[in-house]
Amino acid sequence: MSAEETKAQDAARPRLSPARVLDIDPLLDDPTTRIIVCCGAGGVGKTTTAAALGLRAAERGRKVVVLTIDPARRLAQSMGIDSLDNVPRRVKGTEGDGELHAMMLDMKRTFDEVVEAHADPERAAVILANPFYQSLSAGFAGTQEYMAMEKLGQLRARDEWDLIVVDTPPSRSALDFLDAPKRLGSFLDGRLIRLLTAPAKLGGRAGMAFLNVGMSMMTGTLGKLLGGQLLKDVQTFVAAMDTTFGGFRTRADATYKLLQAPGTAFLVVAAPERDALREAAYFVERLAAERMPLMGLVLNRVHGSGAGRLSAERALAAAENLEDPRIVDQADGKAGLRNSPDTYGSSQPPAPETAVTASEEGSPADTESSVDRLTAGLLRLHADRMQLLSREQRTRDRFTARHPEVAVVEVPALPGDVHDLVGLRDIGHRLAAGRPEHTEA
């Protein structure tokens, strides 16, 4: 579908009330835009949005890599790649002069790369084989978010791509994305870690004395709580990681500065639902507090109707009239006979020709009744859709009233999932064509 066809199709769709419009193409075309971060609550279409933005930027001439953290692996399927891993893969089938690459974060492998880069081979081997490290790298709270930022820093440092599009992790809260690097850095620089590393730092007799006197009580207590083997694994891990702890804090700080720097653009992705837009509002406020560059809101899965002039109330009234024609007198024809006070409630049977006609299978009366039932059902479906549109409008209007400075682009709800480049290209056209307007009642 071409951009012109998409615009024509969307023009017939009623939109929500006016807001500042987010113009996507100038953002993608700007050579100073080097990082786009798609963030927001889980389940709002961040992965599809990130992939569509990456494809559109590539087909407009840029060399793009999309970094996704999506356990459903829909991105790989939509891009025609058998699988994604921690290495960028070239996507085939794109149009234009640019390039599109895609990758999926391997959290543990990224953590391993950090260890290998900041420890000598012998110490790195000890760390990688440590059971506590293996648990930490695979499932510690915040590790995925931290490693996403670690991988972003690695990609940016290589300076191989014009644009990096990041699909943030599907966290319980969108704010976890910003909090995790500091949280993991605080853990690795924390009081318990410093206490466990103290004997190694003191060294010699002083270290042994500290270990024998001070640590004996603590390790005895921790050993009962955690188990002796786990405590030993932790202490071995801490001793091996001692030289790299400072690096975690340093890189977390460097990543924060990268996210704040010119050339980074945040897009908050949300659905026109109360919880999703509430999360989006929190995230907008947090980005402002952290002085991170917010470009706007992508409002995903917005519903519309080609018959916006027919209100829900009028549609329901018409459906009720069709289902019970006695409510309103009809102008003429058989409906007038059915509603006639002379026959309704009377013990006299209808005229013979009417009775015969009504009893014959496939008669005009049966056909008319079937059409009425079908029409009433469609009217009720339309009423439900208009009520949904009204709820979406109220929800979106609350957000824009609270944050009038945030530019918005709408993407309509589609009948099915996006599963190929054609679908991603269509989403990109819709992102570029979105124009909020008044809903017609």
Side-chain angles (χ1 to χ4, degrees):
M1 182 181 296
S2 67
E4 291 75 14
E5 290 173 333
T6 299
K7 290 180 180 179
Q9 188 180 86
D10 288 349
R13 185 174 64 89
R15 303 296 185 104
L16 305 182
S17 59
R20 286 187 55 209
V21 175
L22 173 61
D23 206 349
I24 289 292
D25 283 346
L27 175 65
L28 299 179
D29 294 342
D30 187 351
T32 65
T33 303
R34 302 299 302 276
I35 297 172
I36 294 178
V37 182
C38 296
C39 51
V44 295
K46 288 186 308 226
T47 299
T48 301
T49 300
L53 289 170
L55 176 62
R56 187 167 183 84
E59 295 189 336
R60 295 175 70 85
R62 304 197 70 182
K63 187 176 181 181
V64 184
V65 61
V66 177
L67 169 63
T68 185
I69 305 92
D70 180 22
R73 301 183 182 271
R74 291 186 302 272
L75 179 63
Q77 297 169 1
S78 64
M79 291 186 170
I81 301 175
D82 292 336
S83 63
L84 292 178
D85 53 24
N86 221 37
V87 178
R89 307 289 182 184
R90 178 77 180 268
V91 177
K92 299 178 181 179
T94 60
E95 302 173 354
D97 298 329
E99 293 182 13
L100 178 61
H101 300 251
M103 62 182 298
M104 181 177 293
L105 178 72
D106 184 330
M107 180 177 65
K108 187 179 187 309
R109 181 58 202 148
T110 301
F111 210 148
D112 291 350
E113 291 172 355
V114 172
V115 171
E116 292 167 351
H118 297 88
D120 60 75
E122 182 178 351
R123 180 167 294 189
V126 172
I127 295 172
L128 297 178
N130 183 273
F132 178 74
Y133 166 78
Q134 292 173 359
S135 298
L136 174 69
S137 61
F140 183 79
T143 302
Q144 186 180 54
E145 289 83 356
Y146 179 89
M147 290 306 153
M149 292 299 91
E150 186 76 41
K151 180 57 67 175
L152 171 60
Q154 292 176 9
L155 293 172
R156 186 66 182 88
R158 290 166 62 177
D159 202 26
E160 184 176 344
W161 292 275
D162 298 337
L163 177 64
I164 303 169
V165 182
V166 183
D167 164 35
T168 55
S171 307
R172 176 190 58 80
S173 167
L175 299 180
D176 290 346
F177 172 65
L178 292 178
D179 291 333
K182 288 185 177 180
R183 189 164 61 242
L184 183 60
S186 297
F187 166 75
L188 294 174
D189 288 343
R191 186 173 299 175
L192 174 61
I193 295 296
R194 292 199 304 271
L195 187 59
L196 290 173
T197 57
K201 290 181 179 179
L202 288 173
R205 294 181 179 179
M208 291 303 296
F210 180 88
L211 178 64
N212 291 335
V213 177
M215 291 291 287
S216 59
M217 294 179 62
M218 186 194 75
T219 55
T221 302
L222 289 176
K224 292 178 181 178
L225 294 173
L226 304 177
Q229 184 58 47
L230 176 58
L231 180 59
K232 182 178 179 180
D233 291 339
V234 172
Q235 290 175 319
T236 303
F237 163 76
V238 167
M241 283 285 286
D242 181 36
T243 58
T244 68
F245 283 146
F248 282 95
R249 173 70 72 179
T250 300
R251 285 190 299 278
D253 292 342
T255 300
Y256 241 62
K257 291 179 181 178
L258 178 64
L259 295 176
Q260 292 173 322
T264 298
F266 280 82
L267 290 177
V268 177
V269 183
E273 301 166 359
R274 184 179 60 182
D275 291 343
L277 277 174
R278 182 186 295 120
E279 191 83 3
Y282 292 150
F283 205 84
V284 165
E285 293 162 5
R286 174 65 183 277
L287 289 173
E290 299 287 343
R291 298 180 180 178
M292 292 185 177
L294 172 65
M295 293 298 106
L297 171 74
V298 175
L299 195 61
N300 223 353
R301 301 169 186 163
V302 176
H303 292 87
S305 171
R309 292 184 180 277
L310 178 59
S311 68
E313 293 76 11
R314 290 169 60 193
L316 286 174
E320 291 172 358
N321 181 49
L322 286 170
E323 291 168 341
D324 190 352
R326 296 169 298 182
I327 295 175
V328 178
D329 289 340
Q330 304 295 321
D332 52 19
K334 293 184 177 62
L337 180 62
R338 288 198 304 269
N339 292 333
S340 171
D342 294 333
T343 58
Y344 178 65
S346 172
S347 60
Q348 296 181 355
E353 62 272 20
T354 305
V356 172
T357 302
S359 65
E360 292 177 356
E361 184 177 355
S363 67
D366 286 338
T367 301
E368 181 183 358
S369 177
S370 298
V371 170
D372 286 352
R373 287 196 299 270
L374 176 60
T375 305
L378 292 174
L379 286 167
R380 289 189 178 278
L381 286 175
H382 175 76
D384 290 342
R385 172 58 62 92
M386 296 307 295
Q387 289 169 347
L388 173 62
L389 291 181
S390 179
R391 289 196 300 272
E392 289 183 354
Q393 179 172 337
R394 290 194 301 269
T395 303
R396 214 289 300 272
D397 284 351
R398 282 195 293 269
F399 176 88
T400 54
R402 185 175 177 181
H403 295 286
E405 77 285 359
V406 178
V408 179
V409 61
E410 297 174 14
V411 180
L414 300 178
D417 292 334
V418 175
H419 59 274
D420 55 21
L421 288 180
V422 174
L424 289 177
R425 191 172 291 118
D426 182 34
I427 293 293
H429 287 324
R430 294 174 185 274
L431 279 164
R435 292 291 184 273
E437 299 171 359
H438 280 293
T439 299
E440 296 179 357

